[in-house]
Short mmCIF file of all heavy atoms in Angstrom, two decimals:
data_model
loop_
_atom_site.label_atom_id
_atom_site.label_comp_id
_atom_site.label_asym_id
_atom_site.label_seq_id
_atom_site.Cartn_x
_atom_site.Cartn_y
_atom_site.Cartn_z
N MET A 1 134.79 39.63 52.15
CA MET A 1 134.27 40.52 53.21
C MET A 1 134.65 42.02 52.87
O MET A 1 135.77 42.25 52.38
CB MET A 1 134.76 40.17 54.64
CG MET A 1 134.19 40.94 55.66
SD MET A 1 134.79 40.45 57.30
CE MET A 1 134.06 38.76 57.32
N THR A 2 133.80 42.87 53.09
CA THR A 2 134.20 44.32 52.79
C THR A 2 135.33 44.90 53.87
O THR A 2 135.46 44.26 54.90
CB THR A 2 132.96 45.17 52.98
OG1 THR A 2 132.51 45.17 54.29
CG2 THR A 2 131.79 44.71 52.11
N GLU A 3 135.96 46.04 53.44
CA GLU A 3 136.94 46.61 54.34
C GLU A 3 136.27 46.94 55.59
O GLU A 3 136.86 46.89 56.81
CB GLU A 3 137.48 47.75 53.65
CG GLU A 3 138.50 47.30 52.60
CD GLU A 3 139.62 46.55 53.20
OE1 GLU A 3 140.24 46.87 54.21
OE2 GLU A 3 140.08 45.60 52.48
N TRP A 4 134.95 47.46 55.56
CA TRP A 4 134.34 47.93 56.85
C TRP A 4 134.21 46.66 57.74
O TRP A 4 134.35 46.65 58.97
CB TRP A 4 133.03 48.49 56.51
CG TRP A 4 132.14 48.65 57.68
CD1 TRP A 4 130.94 47.89 58.11
CD2 TRP A 4 132.29 49.68 58.87
NE1 TRP A 4 130.50 48.36 59.39
CE2 TRP A 4 131.23 49.34 59.73
CE3 TRP A 4 133.23 50.54 58.98
CZ2 TRP A 4 131.16 50.26 60.77
CZ3 TRP A 4 133.04 51.42 60.10
CH2 TRP A 4 132.02 51.18 61.09
N GLY A 5 133.70 45.48 57.14
CA GLY A 5 133.55 44.22 57.80
C GLY A 5 134.81 43.87 58.53
O GLY A 5 134.79 43.29 59.80
N ASN A 6 135.98 43.90 57.80
CA ASN A 6 137.19 43.51 58.36
C ASN A 6 137.54 44.41 59.57
O ASN A 6 138.14 44.04 60.58
CB ASN A 6 138.28 43.61 57.23
CG ASN A 6 138.19 42.58 56.27
OD1 ASN A 6 137.81 41.41 56.65
ND2 ASN A 6 138.61 42.73 55.03
N LEU A 7 137.38 45.63 59.37
CA LEU A 7 137.51 46.73 60.44
C LEU A 7 136.79 46.46 61.74
O LEU A 7 137.36 46.30 62.67
CB LEU A 7 137.35 48.18 60.01
CG LEU A 7 137.49 49.20 61.06
CD1 LEU A 7 138.94 49.32 61.50
CD2 LEU A 7 137.09 50.55 60.47
N VAL A 8 135.45 46.15 61.59
CA VAL A 8 134.66 45.73 62.71
C VAL A 8 135.15 44.40 63.36
O VAL A 8 135.19 44.25 64.60
CB VAL A 8 133.27 45.70 62.39
CG1 VAL A 8 132.20 45.32 63.52
CG2 VAL A 8 132.68 47.10 61.80
N ASP A 9 135.54 43.45 62.53
CA ASP A 9 136.06 42.24 63.08
C ASP A 9 137.34 42.44 63.93
O ASP A 9 137.56 41.84 64.86
CB ASP A 9 136.41 41.32 61.92
CG ASP A 9 135.10 40.72 61.40
OD1 ASP A 9 134.08 40.69 61.97
OD2 ASP A 9 135.22 40.03 60.15
N ARG A 10 138.18 43.33 63.54
CA ARG A 10 139.45 43.66 64.26
C ARG A 10 138.96 44.33 65.60
O ARG A 10 139.65 43.95 66.69
CB ARG A 10 140.32 44.62 63.41
CG ARG A 10 141.04 43.97 62.32
CD ARG A 10 142.18 44.68 61.77
NE ARG A 10 141.82 45.99 61.14
CZ ARG A 10 141.59 46.03 59.96
NH1 ARG A 10 141.62 44.97 59.10
NH2 ARG A 10 141.18 47.23 59.42
N VAL A 11 138.01 45.19 65.61
CA VAL A 11 137.50 45.63 66.87
C VAL A 11 136.93 44.60 67.71
O VAL A 11 137.26 44.45 68.91
CB VAL A 11 136.36 46.70 66.60
CG1 VAL A 11 135.69 47.05 68.03
CG2 VAL A 11 136.94 47.90 65.85
N ALA A 12 136.27 43.57 67.15
CA ALA A 12 135.68 42.50 68.02
C ALA A 12 136.78 41.57 68.53
O ALA A 12 136.71 41.05 69.59
CB ALA A 12 134.87 41.59 67.12
N ARG A 13 138.10 41.62 67.86
CA ARG A 13 139.20 40.74 68.41
C ARG A 13 140.13 41.65 69.45
O ARG A 13 141.03 41.09 69.85
CB ARG A 13 139.90 40.21 67.20
CG ARG A 13 139.27 39.26 66.41
CD ARG A 13 140.11 38.52 65.54
NE ARG A 13 140.70 39.41 64.46
CZ ARG A 13 140.11 39.62 63.30
NH1 ARG A 13 139.01 39.07 62.90
NH2 ARG A 13 140.78 40.49 62.45
N ARG A 109 132.99 44.33 73.11
CA ARG A 109 134.13 45.25 72.60
C ARG A 109 133.64 46.13 71.47
O ARG A 109 133.93 47.36 71.48
CB ARG A 109 135.16 44.29 71.93
CG ARG A 109 136.00 43.47 72.92
CD ARG A 109 136.90 42.36 72.31
NE ARG A 109 137.37 41.50 73.37
CZ ARG A 109 137.78 40.30 73.10
NH1 ARG A 109 137.71 39.81 71.70
NH2 ARG A 109 138.30 39.45 73.99
N ILE A 110 132.82 45.57 70.58
CA ILE A 110 132.12 46.42 69.66
C ILE A 110 131.17 47.47 70.34
O ILE A 110 131.08 48.58 70.00
CB ILE A 110 131.40 45.61 68.56
CG1 ILE A 110 132.41 44.75 67.75
CG2 ILE A 110 130.62 46.51 67.61
CD1 ILE A 110 131.77 43.78 66.85
N GLY A 111 130.50 46.94 71.32
CA GLY A 111 129.52 47.74 71.98
C GLY A 111 130.23 48.96 72.68
O GLY A 111 129.76 49.98 72.82
N VAL A 113 132.76 50.68 71.45
CA VAL A 113 132.91 51.61 70.40
C VAL A 113 131.63 52.25 70.08
O VAL A 113 131.54 53.47 69.63
CB VAL A 113 133.70 50.94 69.15
CG1 VAL A 113 133.94 52.06 68.09
CG2 VAL A 113 134.96 50.31 69.69
N HIS A 114 130.55 51.36 69.92
CA HIS A 114 129.30 51.84 69.52
C HIS A 114 128.91 52.91 70.57
O HIS A 114 128.36 53.97 70.17
CB HIS A 114 128.27 50.69 69.58
CG HIS A 114 126.90 50.90 69.68
ND1 HIS A 114 126.29 51.43 68.50
CD2 HIS A 114 125.92 50.79 70.51
CE1 HIS A 114 124.94 51.74 68.77
NE2 HIS A 114 124.72 51.31 70.04
N ALA A 115 129.05 52.75 71.97
CA ALA A 115 128.79 53.63 72.92
C ALA A 115 129.50 54.80 72.86
O ALA A 115 129.03 56.00 73.17
CB ALA A 115 128.76 52.94 74.35
N ALA A 117 130.83 56.21 70.20
CA ALA A 117 130.34 57.08 68.90
C ALA A 117 129.10 57.88 69.49
O ALA A 117 129.06 59.03 69.21
CB ALA A 117 130.18 56.22 67.86
N ASN A 118 128.31 57.08 70.14
CA ASN A 118 127.05 57.73 70.54
C ASN A 118 127.21 58.82 71.51
O ASN A 118 126.55 59.97 71.51
CB ASN A 118 125.96 56.74 71.08
CG ASN A 118 125.40 55.90 69.88
OD1 ASN A 118 125.31 56.27 68.79
ND2 ASN A 118 125.13 54.68 70.45
N ALA A 149 127.35 62.74 62.24
CA ALA A 149 128.35 61.80 61.66
C ALA A 149 128.66 60.71 62.70
O ALA A 149 128.74 59.55 62.44
CB ALA A 149 129.56 62.49 61.24
N PHE A 150 128.87 61.21 63.99
CA PHE A 150 129.06 60.15 65.07
C PHE A 150 127.83 59.41 65.31
O PHE A 150 128.13 58.10 65.53
CB PHE A 150 129.46 60.82 66.35
CG PHE A 150 130.89 61.38 66.53
CD1 PHE A 150 131.16 62.79 66.58
CD2 PHE A 150 131.93 60.37 66.43
CE1 PHE A 150 132.58 63.24 66.70
CE2 PHE A 150 133.23 60.90 66.54
CZ PHE A 150 133.61 62.16 66.67
N ALA A 151 126.66 59.91 65.31
CA ALA A 151 125.45 59.22 65.41
C ALA A 151 125.33 58.12 64.34
O ALA A 151 124.90 56.93 64.67
CB ALA A 151 124.25 60.03 65.44
N MET A 152 125.71 58.37 63.11
CA MET A 152 125.52 57.43 62.05
C MET A 152 126.56 56.31 62.27
O MET A 152 126.32 55.18 61.94
CB MET A 152 125.72 58.20 60.61
CG MET A 152 124.51 58.99 60.38
SD MET A 152 122.86 57.98 60.32
CE MET A 152 123.25 56.92 59.07
N LEU A 153 127.76 56.74 62.70
CA LEU A 153 128.81 55.59 63.02
C LEU A 153 128.19 54.71 64.11
O LEU A 153 128.36 53.44 63.97
CB LEU A 153 130.05 56.32 63.51
CG LEU A 153 131.13 55.40 63.99
CD1 LEU A 153 131.56 54.43 62.86
CD2 LEU A 153 132.27 56.08 64.49
N GLY A 154 127.61 55.31 65.12
CA GLY A 154 127.14 54.49 66.18
C GLY A 154 126.01 53.52 65.77
O GLY A 154 125.85 52.41 66.04
N ALA A 155 125.10 54.03 64.79
CA ALA A 155 123.94 53.43 64.27
C ALA A 155 124.50 52.17 63.35
O ALA A 155 123.93 51.15 63.39
CB ALA A 155 123.09 54.23 63.56
N THR A 156 125.46 52.47 62.68
CA THR A 156 126.17 51.42 61.74
C THR A 156 126.75 50.26 62.67
O THR A 156 126.42 49.13 62.32
CB THR A 156 127.22 52.01 60.93
OG1 THR A 156 126.65 53.05 60.16
CG2 THR A 156 127.80 51.00 59.82
N LEU A 157 127.30 50.70 63.64
CA LEU A 157 127.95 49.59 64.52
C LEU A 157 126.79 48.82 65.20
O LEU A 157 126.91 47.61 65.62
CB LEU A 157 128.85 50.23 65.62
CG LEU A 157 130.14 50.66 65.06
CD1 LEU A 157 130.90 51.48 66.03
CD2 LEU A 157 131.01 49.54 64.58
N GLY A 158 125.68 49.56 65.54
CA GLY A 158 124.65 48.89 66.08
C GLY A 158 123.93 47.92 65.20
O GLY A 158 123.53 46.82 65.62
N GLY A 159 123.96 48.22 63.85
CA GLY A 159 123.49 47.27 62.98
C GLY A 159 124.39 46.11 62.89
O GLY A 159 123.76 44.91 62.66
N ASP A 160 125.52 46.34 62.94
CA ASP A 160 126.56 45.00 62.94
C ASP A 160 126.24 44.25 64.12
O ASP A 160 126.19 42.99 64.13
CB ASP A 160 127.96 45.55 63.02
CG ASP A 160 128.98 44.42 62.92
OD1 ASP A 160 129.31 43.87 63.85
OD2 ASP A 160 129.38 44.25 61.78
N LEU A 161 126.06 44.75 65.35
CA LEU A 161 125.82 44.08 66.53
C LEU A 161 124.52 43.23 66.26
O LEU A 161 124.45 42.05 66.84
CB LEU A 161 125.82 44.94 67.68
CG LEU A 161 127.05 45.53 68.27
CD1 LEU A 161 126.82 46.60 69.24
CD2 LEU A 161 127.80 44.36 68.86
N ALA A 162 123.50 43.86 65.89
CA ALA A 162 122.24 43.14 65.75
C ALA A 162 122.08 42.19 64.57
O ALA A 162 121.61 41.12 64.95
CB ALA A 162 121.12 44.29 65.37
N PHE A 163 122.70 42.36 63.48
CA PHE A 163 122.51 41.48 62.33
C PHE A 163 123.76 40.62 61.98
O PHE A 163 123.51 39.48 61.51
CB PHE A 163 122.17 42.33 61.08
CG PHE A 163 120.91 43.11 61.25
CD1 PHE A 163 120.87 44.50 61.39
CD2 PHE A 163 119.63 42.42 61.30
CE1 PHE A 163 119.63 45.16 61.57
CE2 PHE A 163 118.53 43.13 61.41
CZ PHE A 163 118.42 44.41 61.53
N ARG A 164 124.94 41.05 62.26
CA ARG A 164 126.10 40.14 62.11
C ARG A 164 126.37 39.31 63.43
O ARG A 164 126.76 38.33 63.35
CB ARG A 164 127.31 40.97 61.67
CG ARG A 164 127.29 41.45 60.10
CD ARG A 164 128.55 41.83 59.71
NE ARG A 164 129.61 40.87 59.72
CZ ARG A 164 130.84 40.93 59.91
NH1 ARG A 164 131.35 42.19 60.23
NH2 ARG A 164 131.74 40.00 59.84
N ARG A 165 126.26 40.06 64.45
CA ARG A 165 126.64 39.47 65.83
C ARG A 165 125.40 38.90 66.47
O ARG A 165 125.60 38.21 67.59
CB ARG A 165 127.35 40.46 66.73
CG ARG A 165 128.40 41.31 66.07
CD ARG A 165 129.60 40.70 65.74
NE ARG A 165 130.39 41.36 64.66
CZ ARG A 165 131.64 41.05 64.24
NH1 ARG A 165 132.15 39.95 64.64
NH2 ARG A 165 132.13 41.87 63.40
#
Side-chain angles (χ1 to χ4, degrees):
M1 185 181 295
T2 66
E3 287 299 320
W4 171 255
N6 287 329
L7 177 61
V8 179
D9 284 345
R10 287 197 290 272
V11 173
R13 295 191 297 267
R109 292 167 188 158
I110 298 172
V113 182
H114 168 69
N118 288 334
F150 279 120
M152 289 304 297
L153 173 60
T156 303
L157 289 170
D160 183 276
L161 285 168
F163 297 107
R164 287 190 67 210
R165 317 288 164 175

